Amino acid sequence: MLLDRSFRQTLIARLLQSAGPATAAALLVAAPGCAEPEAEAADLRCFAWDEALGACLDRAQALDELKSIYTRCDDRIVSVESDGELRNGGCCYEVIAEDQSDICPMEGRPFTLEGHRVRAAPREAEAGWLARATASGASGQQPSLADLTGEERETLAGGWLRSALEEHASVASFARFALDLMALGAPSSLVEAAHIAALDEVGHARLGFSLASAYRGGPVGPAAFPMPPAVPIAPDLAAMARAAAEEGCVGETVAALLAAEKRVRAGDAAVRAALEVIAEDEARHAELAWLTVAWAIGAGGEPVRRAVAEVFEAAAASLRRPPPPEAEPGGGRAAALAAHGHLGGADVRALHSAALAQVVLPCARALGLWQPAAAAGAARPEASV
Ligand SMILES: [Fe+2]
Ligand SMILES: [Fe+2]
């Protein structure tokens, strides 16, 4: 699948410029090595809980609650393995969870704990996260519902709600990223950009919740974010750079390209305006990630480079896996849904793969952050991704 050509080319130029040319020489020192994958840590999942309500829910009730929070496109919670423990406004449980990222590729910067994506549950009648009208008119516009069936409105409400909850999680992700940068001695330009990006994500979440509310016919927003009482920050430069590469160089670069592609297909003016804002902001967030990785490698050297290379190698490996079976039935109204910013799962996965193959990996390769296995083994840099 081809991505929007002009947006793609502009983004590639911006990303390469972010990490070079001043830093490119430092990056082009040695080929990245390979490391053993890390063993999976025990999974701990929490949800907000007011101690005034008494003890935490039992395991069966907790499983239902957690399933409502960690839905199809996060981790699938299979079972709850411990009793709940009250922790600073939340109940936490050890769980067994299955990664669903093959089914729902990452679209944007997630908030991750122990390698798993976390996001808030939706809350009906929550109006505190709706977009406000601005002078530019980009926020607060209402989509046209005229030609939509009830089923289509429901699909669109669900799609935009999921997207809004992911944007909402990105606010927390950037807040933690800013702390990582502070703790690792990053320059003020990166810390400043991280805070600005967090505010951008607040705006994206508002746009998404507003569109979801319009399609469903009533306000919907996020419940309290299921933040554990202690949120770990990156222990060192390599861990921070790995997360920046995963969540930013991959996640936000893909998010920018997906938003741009959705914008091209969107006929509804309110949806197009929202996607215009999101695509441009996500492109800046992607630039920030590539710049951060370049700074981290300059400051931390080879261990950081190896950590980053593993992320791109994992992205390349994901392209070599066969796609999962199509879970969503195709419909004759795909164009109508696309006009309102909703693409089917197969389209999203195809665009995700195209973004990796046409932008993320070529940029990583050009900056010396990664090279294809064939090129690494046989010094044939022309080998294709
Ligand atoms: Fe965003
Ligand atoms: Fe973003």
Side-chain angles (χ1 to χ4, degrees), residues 17-37:
Q17 201 172 11
S18 297
T23 48
L27 297 173
L28 292 163
V29 174
C34 292
E36 291 296 316

Side-chain angles (χ1 to χ4, degrees), residues 27-311:
L27 297 173
L28 292 163
V29 174
C34 292
E36 291 296 316
E38 289 179 13
E40 197 165 317
D43 291 333
L44 191 71
R45 292 290 179 275
C46 308
F47 52 79
W49 187 255
D50 189 331
E51 290 189 30
L53 295 171
C56 289
L57 299 175
D58 65 30
R59 295 185 188 194
Q61 292 170 318
L63 181 60
D64 288 341
E65 182 71 15
L66 289 166
K67 278 182 172 175
S68 76
I69 296 172
Y70 300 94
T71 51
R72 178 172 167 264
C73 289
D74 299 295
D75 302 315
R76 192 172 76 84
I77 307 291
V78 178
S79 63
V80 173
E81 299 292 307
S82 73
D83 292 331
E85 187 182 328
L86 276 169
R87 291 192 186 188
N88 193 26
C91 281
C92 298
Y93 301 78
E94 288 180 13
V95 303
I96 293 178
E98 288 178 352
D99 186 2
Q100 301 287 288
S101 55
D102 276 1
I103 296 172
C104 301
M106 195 159 64
E107 280 185 58
R109 190 186 194 93
F111 183 86
T112 57
L113 283 172
E114 297 167 350
H116 295 273
R117 288 178 275 170
V118 178
R119 65 180 194 184
R123 180 152 62 196
E124 290 187 10
E126 167 60 61
W129 280 80
L130 300 185
R132 295 183 296 244
T134 64
S136 72
S139 305
Q141 288 187 46
Q142 294 293 303
S144 167
L145 308 178
D147 297 324
L148 296 171
T149 64
E151 191 179 342
E152 287 165 350
R153 282 178 58 171
E154 200 176 315
T155 300
L156 293 167
W160 277 106
L161 179 58
R162 181 194 156 208
S163 164
L165 290 168
E166 289 178 353
E167 301 283 11
H168 179 255
S170 297
V171 181
S173 181
F174 270 116
R176 183 171 61 181
F177 177 53
L179 291 177
D180 287 344
L181 292 172
M182 292 288 288
L184 293 166
S188 65
S189 57
L190 294 180
V191 175
E192 180 184 33
H195 281 94
I196 291 170
L199 293 178
D200 292 338
E201 303 292 9
V202 170
H204 300 176
R206 284 175 174 157
L207 289 170
F209 286 123
S210 297
L211 288 167
S213 297
Y215 291 118
R216 75 190 290 279
V220 61
F225 196 83
M227 197 80 74
V231 176
I233 60 169
D236 51 37
L237 273 170
M240 188 280 291
R242 179 196 299 274
E246 219 164 55
E247 299 171 1
C249 298
V250 176
E252 302 228 61
T253 303
V254 170
L257 291 157
L258 273 173
E261 193 60 31
K262 288 180 179 177
R263 177 194 55 190
V264 167
R265 303 182 192 194
D268 183 89
V271 170
R272 205 169 48 241
L275 290 169
E276 184 82 37
V277 171
I278 292 170
E280 176 51 34
D281 288 349
E282 299 300 356
R284 266 189 297 105
H285 301 172
E287 284 182 274
L288 170 60
W290 290 84
L291 188 57
T292 300
V293 163
W295 167 76
I297 291 175
E302 196 54 30
V304 181
R305 176 198 308 283
R306 280 199 300 273
V308 169
E310 287 168 18
V311 171

